Amino acid sequence: MNPGATDAPGTGRAPCHHGEILQGVFLDAAGRRCAGLVTLPMAGPGSSAAYVRRPGTPPEALTVVPADRTKAARAAALTVAECARRTGRPPCGGELRLTGGIPVGLGMGSSSSDVIAAVRAVADSYGLRLDPSTVAALAVRAELASDPLMLGSRPVLFAQREGRVLEVLGPALPPLVVVGCALGGGAPVDTLALPVADVADVDRSDVRAYERLRALLRRAVATGSAELLGAVATASARRGQEVLGHPEFDTLAALAHRSGAVGVQIAHSGAVAGVLFDQAAPGLRRRVRGCLRALSAHGIPATRTFTTGTTPAKEIPHHGPAHRGVDRPAGPDTPRRPARLPAL
């Protein structure tokens, strides 16, 4: 085939998340320590990818638009090699185009979403649909650690540096209403500057504490207890402050308590946070409105309010410009910009 010829494009998509419910160091089935996390799923923004193969061109002739998505480009190259091996076709170059509206630097999995969408688009261009474990392995090779966005919305404890599930906690989280906000004024967090602890150096008492939180979260999912989930998320968020040190965290936890929330959660590698409410709580609308007013009074920008749990996740729109500009889609030829998150 002529080097200039192209095949039909493949497409792929991946969601984002709203930070973590639990993150720490856990024991796998063999008793080995692993860094692990449980993310909070969120419907709405995500990454979409389109990949066009160019048979006859060298595999290194792979371009990505926007050009700054280097992790997605790495993922695409790795997936080309994997798909070529599976189909018996020679690897070739191509063009990857990414679009999406995930804010960068808030800990919502923007890079993982790009990477997984890219893997799925390349596989689709070869007529393949890769299983989640293969997608996870490719994602970890591309970005060293990956969020479990390839696994759907069921709650899992995921070893992000190894790309494997440590435990499936159950079919769905307890039903929650999440009032999202951004700490630090919504300024992006440089995740590469955050210290990465060696799991071998984590104190044994800390590992026991993480395992206790894991057991409590397992019980929360099994019993549908939003209150127990909130307690786990808050405890994990407090531990996260040892690294992140958000000055507003204590204020956020206090206003959540006053609003009748079950707890708070944060992104352990970003600025996004959430106030968690039990969907079955009496006077829920009043509680949520009170929380939004309190966030505004303390200068903490509210972003979006959404539900999660046994019913399909959906966004609850704010009245007024609460999250105007938060999910502005990035154009295919424009580098993704940090989100602007004005207060209510």
Side-chain angles (χ1 to χ4, degrees):
M1 187 174 287
N2 294 331
T6 62
D7 281 356
T11 59
R13 193 180 187 281
C16 69
H17 61 79
H18 200 265
E20 283 73 39
I21 296 170
L22 176 62
Q23 181 163 340
V25 176
F26 305 90
L27 301 177
D28 67 7
R32 188 172 63 89
R33 292 182 173 194
C34 302
L37 51 78
V38 181
T39 55
L40 179 63
M42 185 183 75
S47 295
S48 296
Y51 183 74
V52 177
R53 299 173 60 246
R54 293 203 176 96
T57 62
E60 60 270 20
L62 193 156
T63 58
V64 61
V65 180
D68 64 339
R69 312 294 172 85
T70 55
K71 294 178 181 178
R74 253 193 324 269
L78 291 167
T79 309
V80 165
E82 176 67 20
C83 292
R85 182 187 66 79
R86 292 188 180 210
T87 60
R89 302 179 194 176
C92 63
E95 182 185 72
L96 175 69
R97 284 185 171 263
L98 291 160
T99 56
I102 307 174
V104 179
L106 297 188
M108 297 172 68
S110 59
S111 62
S112 287
S113 186
D114 278 353
V115 162
I116 294 165
V119 169
R120 288 172 169 168
V122 172
D124 186 50
S125 76
Y126 280 86
L128 298 176
R129 184 174 181 177
L130 301 177
D131 61 272
S133 62
T134 300
V135 176
L138 290 167
V140 169
R141 288 176 64 192
E143 59 171 342
L144 302 182
S146 175
D147 294 316
L149 301 174
M150 73 292 294
L151 298 171
S153 61
R154 64 177 180 170
V156 298
L157 179 63
F158 187 73
Q160 71 269 27
R161 300 178 194 171
E162 303 174 29
R164 64 189 178 103
V165 175
L166 299 177
E167 181 180 355
V168 177
L169 295 164
L173 294 173
L176 300 169
V177 171
V178 183
V179 177
C181 61
L183 305 180
V189 172
D190 182 2
T191 55
L192 296 178
L194 295 175
V196 178
D198 188 331
V199 295
D201 295 334
V202 176
D203 192 84
R204 191 176 303 173
S205 64
D206 287 327
V207 177
R208 287 197 296 266
Y210 289 128
E211 283 292 331
R212 285 194 295 271
L213 291 176
R214 173 186 184 175
L216 289 174
L217 183 55
R218 185 189 303 125
R219 191 195 309 168
V221 173
T223 62
S225 173
E227 185 175 359
L228 192 52
L229 182 147
V232 171
T234 303
S236 180
R238 288 196 183 280
R239 284 182 168 270
Q241 293 312 300
E242 297 172 10
V243 174
L244 295 170
H246 292 302
E248 316 100 318
F249 178 76
D250 287 338
T251 298
L252 181 70
L255 72 83
H257 178 72
R258 290 195 301 271
S259 301
V262 296
V264 297
Q265 58 86 215
I266 63 167
H268 287 73
S269 61
V272 75
V275 182
L276 309 177
F277 291 88
D278 184 348
Q279 280 191 36
L284 178 60
R285 290 181 181 275
R286 172 181 51 78
R287 296 178 193 227
V288 169
R289 285 196 298 266
C291 178
L292 288 167
R293 285 194 299 268
L295 288 171
S296 179
H298 287 91
I300 300 175
T303 52
R304 59 171 54 206
T305 299
F306 62 98
T307 65
T308 188
T310 54
T311 56
K314 63 180 181 179
E315 182 180 358
I316 302 172
H318 292 158
H319 295 289
H323 58 283
R324 186 174 297 156
V326 173
D327 299 316
R328 182 179 61 251
D333 299 303
T334 309
R336 186 184 284 145
R337 295 182 177 88
R340 295 192 184 101
L341 296 171
L344 284 170

